[in-house]
Each structure stands twice: as C-alpha cells, then as structure tokens.
Amino acid sequence: MERIKIINGRGEKLAALVFQPADEPCLVVIICHGFRGGKENGGRIFKFAKRLNQRGAAVIAFDFGGSGESEGLFFDMTLSSQADDLRAVIDYAGQRFAAPMVLLGRSFGGSTVLVEGAGDERIAGFILWSTPVFMEETFAAMLPDEYNRMKSGQVVAIRDDFGSYQLGPGLAADLARHNMNHYLQAIGKRPVLLVHAEDDELVSAENARYMQKQLTNASLNLVEEAGHRFLDKTAVREDMTLAWLEELFLQ
C-alpha cells in the first residue's frame, strides 16, 4: 500500500491510498466514500483492496476535500466540489496506469461518481452502493429541520455518530443545480452495478429501482436487512461487487 497526495482543482492536497497488484493492473477501481465517511471505510478497505489486487486490479481510495486526512473544510463541501476532487483522482489514475477505470461510490460518493464519471469516456463502468439520486428529498429526510434552514441561507450545526459539524447554505444550493437524470442518460450503454439495502433507513431503495429503470445496462442487487451501512452484510456487498467485476472486467 502506498500513501500519496493528489492536488485537486482548488489547490488542496487530497489524501489517497494506492493498492497495486503484483503485476501490471488490468483494471483500476477508484473508490469514493460517503457523506461524513473516509477512504478507509472503517478499516474495511484493506481487505477489500487485497481481494481486488489478487484478481489483478489496482485500487485508489481517497478522502474528499474537508474529510479524513485531506485538506479543506468540510463546511465548504458540495456535490460539485466532490466532483472536482474525483476528476483530479481520475486524471492521476489515467496518468499512472494504462488500464480501464471503474468508479465505485458509497452513498453520497456514489452521487459524486454519477456527476463526474457519467460524462467521462475514460470510465468503463460504475458501481453504486446505497446511492441517492433523489438528492434534495434524501437530504430533507435525513436532516429535515437543518436542510430547510440551509435552503433559506442559514448555517446549521449537526451532531451525528461521528461528532459535531456545521454545514452552510452552499450544499443545498448546489444540490439544486444538478440534474441527476442527465448524468444517468450520459452513462449510455456502459455497465452499472447497483447494490442497495431493501431496508435502507437513509437512502430509500426507490433510488436504486429508479436508476435501474433509467439505465440501459444496469444490474440491481437488493439486500434484505442490511441497513444503509451494510454493517453485518459487508461481505455480501463485496462478494456481489467482485462477481460483477469478474464477469465484465477481470476475466
């Protein structure tokens, strides 16, 4: 494993982990964490990356600006800023490796994958774990009082399992600018894997069902009793992902 820094479009250093297979990789998987998450995914990235390396794929996992070990302020985070971060990582991967790229995003990281990856022909495939496309509805359900105040221009203070943080009106205003249907259409015939919990308490499974209907080449896997974080079903999600990658990219 290699620890590196990648400069985003705002001049900030993004902290990233690179996992390389023994030989020249046949695929590069770029992994985007979720809202309030980090590149290590609670430590689960290391085992998952090893499994991908064993199958010949390189892995890049990184912290979005303002998260984890990356520079920037979480307060300033928007869907657009995360797309800018992902663009920098894709550029880095394209310069370093001569292999197709697949983007994997968890939750809000999956939304970012759609925004930045859909129009980039360097991306060969997409993996969306528990990903929202009904953006305003999802955030309004997650943060009902706070989101309305953000839309009215206020700064809000929020407390969750990871501690306290603040968000400004920029996030809400930015979400309204993105047409997720446009990104889904831009994917075209490229393959997409959708993995979602049937009982997701934060991002309704209707998001995944909707995406499957809009996409021309999507595989949908709905998992029972997994919740948004898949805490007890991590292996199930990873096995589904590896099987899909082996079928399409790791033959």
Side-chain angles (χ1 to χ4, degrees):
M1 182 194 74
E2 181 183 357
R3 294 184 179 272
I4 64 168
K5 301 289 186 180
I6 299 171
I7 307 299
N8 66 14
R10 305 181 301 282
E12 299 165 342
K13 295 178 181 177
L14 305 177
L17 304 174
V18 180
F19 304 84
Q20 278 194 252
D23 300 319
E24 192 68 21
C26 62
L27 182 73
V28 181
V29 179
I30 299 174
I31 300 180
C32 302
H33 65 78
F35 186 78
R36 296 280 285 158
K39 61 186 179 299
E40 296 85 1
N41 192 22
R44 290 182 287 272
I45 185 62
F46 302 102
K47 182 179 178 181
F48 185 48
K50 182 177 180 180
R51 296 179 72 186
L52 284 164
N53 285 169
Q54 290 170 342
R55 290 160 172 82
V59 177
I60 301 177
F62 69 100
D63 291 325
F64 286 112
S67 293
E69 298 175 309
S70 288
E71 294 180 346
L73 298 175
F74 188 78
F75 179 85
D76 296 326
M77 179 275 301
T78 64
L79 188 53
S80 293
S81 73
Q82 291 201 166
D84 174 75
D85 294 342
L86 178 54
R87 186 181 314 122
V89 177
I90 293 171
D91 288 344
Y92 172 85
Q95 294 167 7
R96 177 165 176 173
F97 298 109
M101 288 183 272
V102 168
L103 303 181
L104 187 162
R106 300 190 302 273
S107 193
F108 197 53
S111 308
T112 307
V113 161
L114 287 172
V115 171
E116 183 54 40
D120 192 331
E121 292 302 324
R122 293 174 295 178
I123 307 306
F126 305 81
I127 302 167
L128 305 175
W129 288 354
S130 309
T131 293
V133 285
F134 305 142
M135 304 306 300
E136 294 191 271
E137 296 90 332
T138 298
F139 272 88
M142 287 172 50
L143 306 167
D145 296 332
E146 294 88 349
Y147 190 70
N148 283 331
R149 284 157 48 203
M150 288 162 58
K151 288 180 68 175
S152 69
Q154 298 181 45
V155 174
V156 298
I158 304 166
R159 186 171 187 82
D160 61 14
D161 294 343
F162 304 102
S164 300
Y165 64 101
Q166 288 187 323
L167 287 174
L171 174 61
D174 183 71
L175 288 179
R177 299 188 187 108
H178 289 280
N179 183 336
M180 303 306 286
N181 283 324
H182 169 77
Y183 304 127
L184 292 171
Q185 293 169 7
I187 287 175
K189 296 181 180 179
R190 286 174 289 173
V192 181
L193 174 65
L194 304 165
V195 183
H196 214 105
E198 188 72 74
D199 63 335
D200 193 317
E201 72 282 9
L202 296 179
V203 179
S204 167
E206 290 305 311
N207 286 268
R209 293 190 182 95
Y210 179 81
M211 282 189 280
Q212 184 190 33
K213 292 177 182 177
Q214 301 302 312
L215 295 163
T216 60
N217 188 12
S219 300
L220 172 60
N221 289 296
L222 292 174
V223 181
E224 299 288 342
E225 299 180 0
H228 185 65
R229 296 184 186 173
F230 272 73
L231 293 179
D232 297 324
K233 298 287 180 72
T234 298
V236 173
R237 181 171 64 184
E238 292 181 359
D239 289 346
M240 289 175 173
T241 300
L242 287 167
W244 183 82
L245 286 170
E246 287 173 343
E247 179 183 353
L248 297 178
F249 296 102
L250 301 176
Q251 299 173 352

